[in-house]
């Protein structure tokens, strides 16, 4: 890429310092290596083509870790305004690919930790697919189960009788209506895609709610719940690590615009704010995944819950300036996100937190966001002072 300043960092130079406020520029490494440190129990190496510091600028959050040049580093310096206003397709593709790869890397680490499985798995067994469908069916996610049972009959036609009765007991939800602008209307309960299929589409939610789930160790895990003005990615994971695969389901009647990445880039040429929107959404997912990983590595129950509420909150209010919000997450969703076994324990601990209340049907309500953020900051400071592998930010 041409037209950008080239910056040189000598070996051992500190490029970023943890907890500092981000600059208005980020770097794309063109030569050399850098490394982060003070992050959990391992460091992250950055090489040619990797991007440093972008996520922090986009989210307006302090740098999550220290970054040092391992050898002489050459990088191009890009002002964040370039991203907001750019019509440079090469730059946007570069940023999107880099953020997507970073997101998958962290997601892979998170699910390896969650599943306690260090082996990379590539193939679903007959038993695993049946188990996935049965878990969703038992939990009332009938349309996901219906689609998975159907996939089972296609993948294992000789065993189709295994699911014949199960399929006959489920009434499938009618297919979505579509208008000329590629906007789809999904009925409540409709499964957009399962863990066995990829749509190679981005879903921009216009109205309604979509839940993202997957099955790990025979348990249904809540990955995320998204509402209006957020985006879901139905693309096939590059890493091919099966726990990265998810299913998406409309939790209420939902309207969604489907686009490909190329279509989004083309749309961005006429609407520069879409550039920022897409990479901000991926940045939020990176930050959230890192915090989810942190939740799994600490023991304190209250800290687990505060960190979880913080990243949910920062996603929910991405485009709103409010001090209270009724979250889309229930106590049971929090249980699967945190891997805390006892819902009653979660409820008891949350009742101790200022600015948090629980509705009669088990949903989490934030009544005073500022108080909750203060609790979260205090929690992070406590963890930083008692753990050498303190919080890592990207």
């Amino acid at each position: 890429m041409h037209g950008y300043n080239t910056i040189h960092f000598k070996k051992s130079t500190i490029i970023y310092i943890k907890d500092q406020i981000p600059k208005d520029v980020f770097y794309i490494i063109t030569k050399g290596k850098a490394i982060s440190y003070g992050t959990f129990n391992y460091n992250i190496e950055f090489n040619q083509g990797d991007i440093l510091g972008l996520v922090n600028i986009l989210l307006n959050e302090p740098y999550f870790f220290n970054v040092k040049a391992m050898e002489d580093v050459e990088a191009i310096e890009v002002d964040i305004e370039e991203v907001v206003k750019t019509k440079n397709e090469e730059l946007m593709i570069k940023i999107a690919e880099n953020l997507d790869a970073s997101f998958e890397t962290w997601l892979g680490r998170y699910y390896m930790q969650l599943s306690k499985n260090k082996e990379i798995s590539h193939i679903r067994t007959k038993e695993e697919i049946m188990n996935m469908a049965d878990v969703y069916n038992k939990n009332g996610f009938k349309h996901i189960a219906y689609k998975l049972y159907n996939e089972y009959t296609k993948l294992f036609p000789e065993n189709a009788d295994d699911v014949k009765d199960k399929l006959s007991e489920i009434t499938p939800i009618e297919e979505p209506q579509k208008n000329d602008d590629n906007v789809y209307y999904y009925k409540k309960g409709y499964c957009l895609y399962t863990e066995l299929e990829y749509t190679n589409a981005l879903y921009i939610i216009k109205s309604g709610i979509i839940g993202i789930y997957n099955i790990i160790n025979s348990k249904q895990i809540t990955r995320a719940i998204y509402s209006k003005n957020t985006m879901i990615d139905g693309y096939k994971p590059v890493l091919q690590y099966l726990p990265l695969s998810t299913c998406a389901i409309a939790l209420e009647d939902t309207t969604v615009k489907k686009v490909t990445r190329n279509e989004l880039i083309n749309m961005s040429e006429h609407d520069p704010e879409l550039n920022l929107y897409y990479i901000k959404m991926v940045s939020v997912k990176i930050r959230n995944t890192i915090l989810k990983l942190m939740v799994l590595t600490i023991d304190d129950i209250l800290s687990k819950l505060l960190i979880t509420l913080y990243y949910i909150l920062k996603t929910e209010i991405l485009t709103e300036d409010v001090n209270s919000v009724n979250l889309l997450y229930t106590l049971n969703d929090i249980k699967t996100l945190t891997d805390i076994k006892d819902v009653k324990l979660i409820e008891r601990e949350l009742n101790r937190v200022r600015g948090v209340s629980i509705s009669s049907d088990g949903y989490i309500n934030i009544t005073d966001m500022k108080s909750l953020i203060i609790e979260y900051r205090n929690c992070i400071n406590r963890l930083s002072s008692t753990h050498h592998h303190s919080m890592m930010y990207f």
Side-chain angles (χ1 to χ4, degrees):
M1 288 185 291
H2 305 288
Y4 297 96
N5 291 333
T6 298
I7 306 294
H8 295 88
F9 299 100
K10 290 287 187 186
K11 182 179 178 180
S12 299
T13 300
I14 305 298
I15 300 172
Y16 292 129
I17 298 175
K18 180 182 178 296
D19 291 333
Q20 278 193 345
I21 300 300
K23 307 172 185 177
D24 291 330
V25 297
F26 60 94
Y27 303 111
I28 303 176
I29 298 175
T30 52
K31 195 182 295 182
K33 292 182 181 179
I35 194 167
S36 73
Y37 57 96
T39 60
F40 301 115
N41 294 321
Y42 41 69
N43 301 329
I44 311 299
E45 190 176 292
F46 301 98
N47 298 288
Q48 181 180 346
D50 286 335
I51 297 176
L52 303 177
L54 175 60
V55 171
N56 300 87
I57 304 173
L58 291 170
L59 301 182
N60 193 28
E61 296 197 15
Y63 294 120
F64 299 144
F65 50 51
N66 304 298
V67 177
K68 180 171 71 173
M70 292 174 68
E71 55 192 46
D72 289 352
V73 169
E74 181 182 281
I76 59 173
E77 181 184 70
V78 185
D79 193 290
I80 190 61
E81 286 300 310
E82 288 285 319
V83 176
V84 177
K85 297 175 181 176
T86 189
K87 292 187 177 179
N88 182 335
E89 189 172 317
E90 184 188 0
L91 175 62
M92 287 312 302
I93 290 172
K94 177 73 186 169
I95 288 172
E97 287 178 347
N98 193 277
L99 289 177
D100 286 344
S102 177
F103 175 49
E104 282 200 15
T105 298
W106 283 112
L107 209 50
R109 286 181 176 140
Y110 169 64
Y111 278 103
M112 283 183 194
Q113 178 75 28
L114 191 62
S115 64
K116 309 294 189 290
N117 176 13
K118 305 306 178 187
E119 297 297 321
I120 300 294
S121 178
H122 300 281
I123 300 169
R124 296 278 187 199
T125 66
K126 186 172 62 173
E127 292 73 24
E128 282 176 327
I129 295 170
M130 178 72 85
N131 176 64
M132 285 164 57
D134 286 346
V135 171
Y136 284 124
N137 198 14
K138 178 185 167 192
N139 291 344
F141 288 70
K142 300 292 184 181
H143 197 236
I144 301 177
Y146 183 84
K147 283 195 166 186
L148 287 171
Y149 289 138
N150 262 321
E151 286 296 315
Y152 182 94
T153 65
K154 292 173 189 170
L155 292 168
F156 313 105
E158 69 280 7
N159 298 103
D161 286 347
D162 296 349
V163 296
K164 198 162 99 179
D165 290 342
K166 296 174 190 263
L167 277 169
S168 67
E169 292 169 1
I170 301 173
T171 303
I173 296 172
E174 65 185 75
E175 290 302 303
Q177 300 169 3
K178 174 192 171 186
N179 71 14
D180 294 338
D181 198 28
N182 242 25
V183 173
Y184 290 75
Y185 172 75
Y186 297 98
K187 288 283 187 72
K188 179 180 179 180
Y190 186 89
C191 173
L192 284 71
Y193 55 83
T194 72
E195 283 139 287
L196 302 182
E197 59 187 342
Y198 305 100
T199 63
N200 288 335
L202 299 167
Y203 300 81
I204 302 171
I205 302 175
K206 298 293 188 181
S207 67
I209 302 171
I210 292 178
I212 308 295
Y213 304 92
N214 63 359
I215 304 296
I216 293 183
N217 295 343
S218 297
K219 293 179 186 172
Q220 182 177 319
I221 304 295
T222 302
R223 275 277 296 273
I225 298 173
Y226 294 113
S227 56
K228 185 179 177 182
N229 293 328
T230 50
M231 182 186 289
I232 296 164
D233 191 336
Y235 278 76
K236 186 174 184 177
V238 174
L239 293 181
Q240 300 289 297
Y241 177 47
L242 289 180
L244 293 177
S245 302
T246 58
C247 68
I249 186 167
L251 297 179
E252 61 181 40
D253 290 353
T254 299
T255 306
V256 169
K257 183 176 179 68
K258 279 174 71 171
V259 296
T260 65
R261 278 201 181 92
N262 286 339
E263 285 170 342
L264 188 73
I265 290 169
N266 291 335
M267 289 162 60
S268 300
E269 289 181 12
H270 308 290
D271 184 2
E273 285 191 9
L274 269 174
N275 291 333
L276 191 60
Y277 171 75
Y278 177 70
I279 61 176
K280 203 169 194 177
M281 288 305 301
V282 181
S283 299
V284 164
K285 291 177 180 179
I286 291 170
R287 189 266 318 279
N288 290 359
T289 305
I290 292 168
L291 290 178
K292 287 179 181 181
L293 186 53
M294 184 182 181
V295 165
L296 295 182
T297 61
I298 59 177
D299 296 323
D300 182 65
I301 301 293
L302 183 58
S303 297
K304 285 176 180 280
L305 294 171
L306 285 170
I307 295 167
T308 301
L309 288 183
Y310 174 78
Y311 72 68
I312 289 174
L313 199 55
K314 295 294 275 188
T315 306
E316 288 279 321
I317 61 166
L318 190 63
T319 57
E320 297 180 43
D321 183 21
V322 294
N323 194 45
S324 63
V325 63
N326 296 335
L327 298 179
L328 304 172
Y329 293 76
T330 64
L331 288 169
N332 196 58
D333 292 322
I334 301 299
K335 174 186 172 184
T336 66
L337 280 168
T338 57
D339 207 26
I340 299 171
K341 310 300 181 192
D342 186 356
V343 171
K344 291 291 184 188
L345 177 59
I346 293 171
E347 186 173 12
R348 188 168 70 243
E349 290 294 311
L350 286 179
N351 282 328
R352 294 172 49 198
V353 179
R354 282 183 302 162
V356 176
S357 69
I358 300 164
S359 69
S360 57
D361 49 358
Y363 281 87
I364 315 297
N365 299 326
I366 308 302
T367 56
D368 185 348
M369 213 169 292
K370 289 173 185 170
S371 292
L372 178 61
I373 298 293
I374 290 169
E375 294 248 17
Y376 164 78
R377 295 291 178 202
N378 291 339
C379 155
I380 291 302
N381 289 337
R382 284 196 304 272
L383 290 172
S384 294
S385 63
T386 56
H387 289 77
H388 291 300
H389 54 281
S390 61
M391 179 177 175
M392 190 285 281
Y393 277 17
F394 190 88

